[in-house]
């Protein structure tokens, strides 16, 4: 008890040091991976160390870790902090429940059920729908694939895949689709990647063409992964048109909204996932657009029976009290499962659905602002769709790989690059809702001054690549 209090005091001290450092040094010192163990003492020993030494080395470690919440971090599909969500997650750690039974998690089970119920209503699924919170978007896609597989052929669960199955996804969909097909016994080669249009959206007629070809070859199409939004471009696949085809050929429609599915909270942007109520399953990551700490990945399934059929297993040592309905371990992938619901619940409770809507809308507003900036400046070449929080561009024809690594090495900005149709570009993501237009402008001004300053380096490189 005394020790915990002391450590919690230290937590405040270390956190304060971090928050100050985030402003002063928004990009952490870069330690080359091959020098890491020389430059930092990460060793573990037989004997413990004094608390003073311990707290010092912990502070050092924290300050040298990449700062994903700083105003110079635009590298990933998450960033910043929603304070109320942080509070919820910290309490989840202190509480340390496991989300398998009501006996062990009590009202926390209700927290998760309330989130699932609310999202089900918002996306227009029927009341017999259900869901779970898995360890991430990749795992949600995997669970959806397994449900689709078992729904298509209920025998597979017991006897394995005996005749090949075909899954479809767009060529710009998340890489977890290939891995998941391998895990599920479907096989990577049985994932067909459907072509996308210039905006990065799957082309429905190409999808139908692929199905017809597979059917005529005696293959068994069973699953489509539609994306909302794609990881690089932030493109939303046209769900209604895809649903027409899936209904016609009895194919399970899963909507992978890990990145952009949270538009379900926005009056202005929910049209991007219109038709989602026609899908069989839908997933989104609250740790991306809603800004909760990692991870918070919600999976919804239209017919609860699919989740039960594929994931329930009896375990008498575990399920000893209460109804299955209050023992969410009965429908989850994991056994012991972290409470990822509380952080979203605390945020949602405190700001309301309206507040979540504001978070989402703000990111799009920042993206519009950034896109307008680059569009109106002839030094920038802009790529990608309009309604997206990924703003893709190149600056003065400079190789995006080179500029992104130089900016990182010189501790200016952390931003990454992407590729579409063979063209590479900087992918600037306005997902940190703590930012304002000021931070967006600052990004461009840092980038431009840096290029100006290092002109020689970039002009020669740019010259080479053209
Ligand atoms: C991020 C992302 C995923 C993976 O989610 P994780 O939580 O990182 O596993 C899946 N699909 C899309 C479209 C994504 O952007």
């Amino acid at each position: 008890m005394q020790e915990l209090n002391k450590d919690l005091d230290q937590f405040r001290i270390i956190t304060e040091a971090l928050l100050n450092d985030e402003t002063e040094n928004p990009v952490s010192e870069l330690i080359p991976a091959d020098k890491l163990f020389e430059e930092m003492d990460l060793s573990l020993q037989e004997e413990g160390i004094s608390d003073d030494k311990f707290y010092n080395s912990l502070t050092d470690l924290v300050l040298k870790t990449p700062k994903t919440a700083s105003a110079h971090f635009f590298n990933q599909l998450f960033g910043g902090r929603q304070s109320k969500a942080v509070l919820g997650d910290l309490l989840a750690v202190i509480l340390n429940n496991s989300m398998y039974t009501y006996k062990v998690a009590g009202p926390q089970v209700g927290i998760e059920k309330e989130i699932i119920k609310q999202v089900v209503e918002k996306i227009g699924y029927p009341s017999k729908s259900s869901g779970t919170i898995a360890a991430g978007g990749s795992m949600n896609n995997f669970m959806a694939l397994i449900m689709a597989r078992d729904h298509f052929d209920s025998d597979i669960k017991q006897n394995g895949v005996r005749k090949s199955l075909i899954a479809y996804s767009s060529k710009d969909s998340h890489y977890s689709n290939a891995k998941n097909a391998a895990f599920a016994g479907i096989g990577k080669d049985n994932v067909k990647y459907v072509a996308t249009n210039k905006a990065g959206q799957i082309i429905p007629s190409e999808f139908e063409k692929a199905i017809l070809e597979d059917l005529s070859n005696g293959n068994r199409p069973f699953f489509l992964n539609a994306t909302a939004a794609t990881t690089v471009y932030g493109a939303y696949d046209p769900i209604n048109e895809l649903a027409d085809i899936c209904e016609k050929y009895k194919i399970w429609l899963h909507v992978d909204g890990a990145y952009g599915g949270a538009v379900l909270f926005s009056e202005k942007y929910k049209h991007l996932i219109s038709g989602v109520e026609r899908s069989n399953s839908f997933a989104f990551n609250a740790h991306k657009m809603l800004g909760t700490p990692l991870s918070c990945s919600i999976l919804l399934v239209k017919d609860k029976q699919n989740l039960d059929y594929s994931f329930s297993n009896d375990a008498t040592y575990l399920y000893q009290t209460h109804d299955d309905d209050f023992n969410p371990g009965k429908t989850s992938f994991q056994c012991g499962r972290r409470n990822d619901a509380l952080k979203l619940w605390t945020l949602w409770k405190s700001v309301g659905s309206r507040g979540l809507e504001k978070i989402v809308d703000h990111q799009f507003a920042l993206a519009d602002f950034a896109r307008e900036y680059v569009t109106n400046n002839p030094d920038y070449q802009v790529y990608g769709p309009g309604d997206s929080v990924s703003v893709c561009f190149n600056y003065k024809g400079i190789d995006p790989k080179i500029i992104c690594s130089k900016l990182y090495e010189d501790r200016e900005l952390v931003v990454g690059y992407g590729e579409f149709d063979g063209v590479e570009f900087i992918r600037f993501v306005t997902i940190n809702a703590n930012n304002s237009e000021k931070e967006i402008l600052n990004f461009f001004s840092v980038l431009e001054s840096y290029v100006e300053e290092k002109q020689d380096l970039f002009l020669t490189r740019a010259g080479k690549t053209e």
Side-chain angles (χ1 to χ4, degrees):
M1 170 71 176
Q2 229 184 340
E3 193 182 351
L4 183 61
N5 275 326
K6 188 178 171 194
D7 285 336
L8 289 176
D9 288 343
Q10 282 299 320
F11 176 78
R12 274 228 56 120
I13 294 169
I14 295 172
T15 304
E16 242 174 75
L18 173 65
L19 296 182
N20 289 334
D21 202 45
E22 269 174 13
T23 324
E24 278 164 35
N25 300 301
V27 182
S28 301
E29 182 185 331
L30 174 66
I31 307 167
D34 59 354
K35 300 256 161 57
L36 177 62
F37 293 95
E38 288 162 39
E39 293 197 10
M40 283 182 77
D41 181 11
L42 302 177
S43 65
L44 296 167
Q45 285 117 6
E46 281 307 306
E47 299 301 327
I49 53 176
S50 74
D51 274 0
D52 279 353
K53 277 193 182 155
F54 168 73
Y55 293 134
N56 283 339
S57 92
L58 193 53
T59 307
D60 185 52
L61 174 65
V62 166
L63 297 185
K64 285 179 177 159
T65 298
K67 297 183 175 71
T68 64
S70 94
H72 287 231
F73 181 86
F74 301 93
N75 199 74
Q76 231 67 43
L77 305 184
F78 64 89
R81 287 187 193 94
Q82 290 296 335
S83 169
K84 293 293 189 291
V86 171
L87 175 62
D89 210 15
L90 292 173
L91 289 171
V93 170
I94 293 288
L95 284 165
N96 200 34
N97 303 102
S98 177
M99 299 294 274
Y100 36 43
T101 61
Y102 191 77
K103 191 180 183 187
V104 172
Q108 299 298 329
V109 171
I111 296 287
E112 187 165 284
K113 285 172 82 70
E114 175 66 10
I115 289 171
I116 289 164
K117 177 171 153 270
Q118 288 279 341
V119 177
V120 157
E121 279 169 20
K122 287 195 184 299
I123 62 170
Y125 268 8
S127 55
K128 65 172 182 182
S129 308
S130 176
T132 185
I133 300 187
S138 301
M139 191 187 279
N140 279 337
N141 287 346
F142 181 62
M143 291 184 75
L145 186 73
I146 294 293
M147 287 190 287
R149 187 198 70 180
D150 295 345
H151 177 67
F152 183 82
D153 184 345
S154 59
D155 187 52
I156 291 176
K157 182 175 161 176
Q158 215 57 39
N159 294 307
V161 181
R162 300 187 193 204
K163 194 163 166 255
S164 74
L165 295 167
I166 305 290
Y168 303 88
S169 196
S170 95
K171 74 169 189 42
D172 299 309
S173 63
H174 192 254
Y175 73 93
S176 57
N177 285 296
K179 291 204 314 193
N180 291 340
F183 302 158
I186 285 152
K188 286 188 177 188
D189 286 350
N190 290 320
V191 182
K192 300 280 168 77
Y193 295 100
V194 183
T196 53
N197 61 22
K198 280 200 164 11
Q201 304 165 296
I202 197 167
I203 303 170
S205 60
E206 291 291 319
F207 171 44
E208 186 163 19
K209 220 159 80 187
I211 297 170
L212 290 172
E213 193 185 309
D214 281 316
L215 286 174
S216 72
N217 290 334
N219 291 329
R220 303 192 296 167
F222 79 107
F223 178 81
L224 171 67
N225 175 91
T227 314
T230 59
T231 309
V232 171
Y233 252 9
Y236 286 80
D237 285 342
I239 301 175
N240 267 313
E241 286 169 72
L242 296 170
D244 289 341
I245 301 170
C246 287
E247 281 163 17
K248 188 166 161 192
Y249 297 97
K250 300 201 165 34
I251 288 172
W252 181 287
L253 173 59
H254 172 62
V255 177
D256 172 10
Y259 181 10
V263 292
L264 73 96
F265 292 101
S266 165
E267 275 308 310
K268 191 168 173 196
Y269 293 101
K270 71 179 183 196
H271 71 90
L272 292 169
I273 53 165
S274 82
V276 67
E277 71 285 354
R278 298 173 65 191
S279 65
N280 299 89
S281 53
F282 166 71
F284 76 101
N285 279 354
H287 68 251
K288 286 184 175 172
M289 273 194 172
L290 298 183
T292 73
L294 280 154
S295 56
C296 186
S297 298
I298 295 112
L299 173 67
L300 291 316
V301 57
K302 185 180 251 162
D303 188 343
K304 177 178 181 316
Q305 284 180 11
N306 294 122
L307 194 58
D308 294 341
Y309 181 75
S310 292
F311 290 94
S312 82
N313 225 355
D314 266 326
T316 42
Y317 63 84
L318 184 61
Y319 303 109
Q320 300 176 342
T321 64
H322 304 90
D323 206 67
D324 278 359
D325 206 29
F326 277 81
N327 288 332
K330 280 283 171 114
T331 46
S332 64
F333 185 94
Q334 300 125 284
C335 174
R337 186 163 60 98
R338 210 184 171 278
N339 178 1
D340 285 329
L342 184 56
K343 55 192 144 191
L344 176 55
W345 187 87
T346 48
L347 174 64
W348 198 338
K349 182 80 180 169
S350 92
V351 302
S353 304
R354 287 285 149 272
L356 299 184
E357 174 176 40
K358 278 194 191 134
I359 292 172
V360 171
D361 287 357
H362 182 57
Q363 293 162 29
F364 279 95
L366 291 179
D368 288 345
F369 179 75
R371 207 171 276 114
E372 195 176 301
Y373 182 89
V374 288
T375 307
N376 291 332
N377 187 329
D379 287 336
Y380 291 88
Q381 169 86 37
V382 190
Y383 308 89
D387 273 340
S388 159
V389 303
S390 296
V391 184
C392 302
F393 58 83
N394 277 320
Y395 180 58
K396 292 191 168 173
I398 299 169
D399 184 336
K401 270 189 200 144
I402 295 171
I403 181 108
C404 289
S405 11
K406 292 304 291 174
L407 286 165
Y408 163 63
E409 284 161 19
D410 288 340
R411 300 179 66 183
E412 299 279 349
L413 295 165
V414 186
V415 64
Y417 55 86
E419 184 264 346
F420 186 86
D421 267 356
V423 181
E424 285 180 330
F425 40 72
I426 298 174
R427 182 193 63 168
F428 173 70
V429 194
T430 59
I431 205 149
N432 178 353
N434 299 141
N435 283 340
S436 63
E437 291 180 357
K438 180 172 151 252
E439 282 78 29
I440 304 300
L441 283 179
N442 185 59
F443 169 87
F444 290 114
S445 112
V446 172
L447 169 74
E448 290 162 17
S449 332
Y450 184 76
V451 169
E452 174 85 33
E453 208 179 292
K454 311 255 166 165
Q455 216 168 29
D456 298 344
L457 178 70
F458 290 120
L459 287 182
T460 47
R461 305 268 169 116
K464 264 188 217 159
T465 59
E466 268 162 13

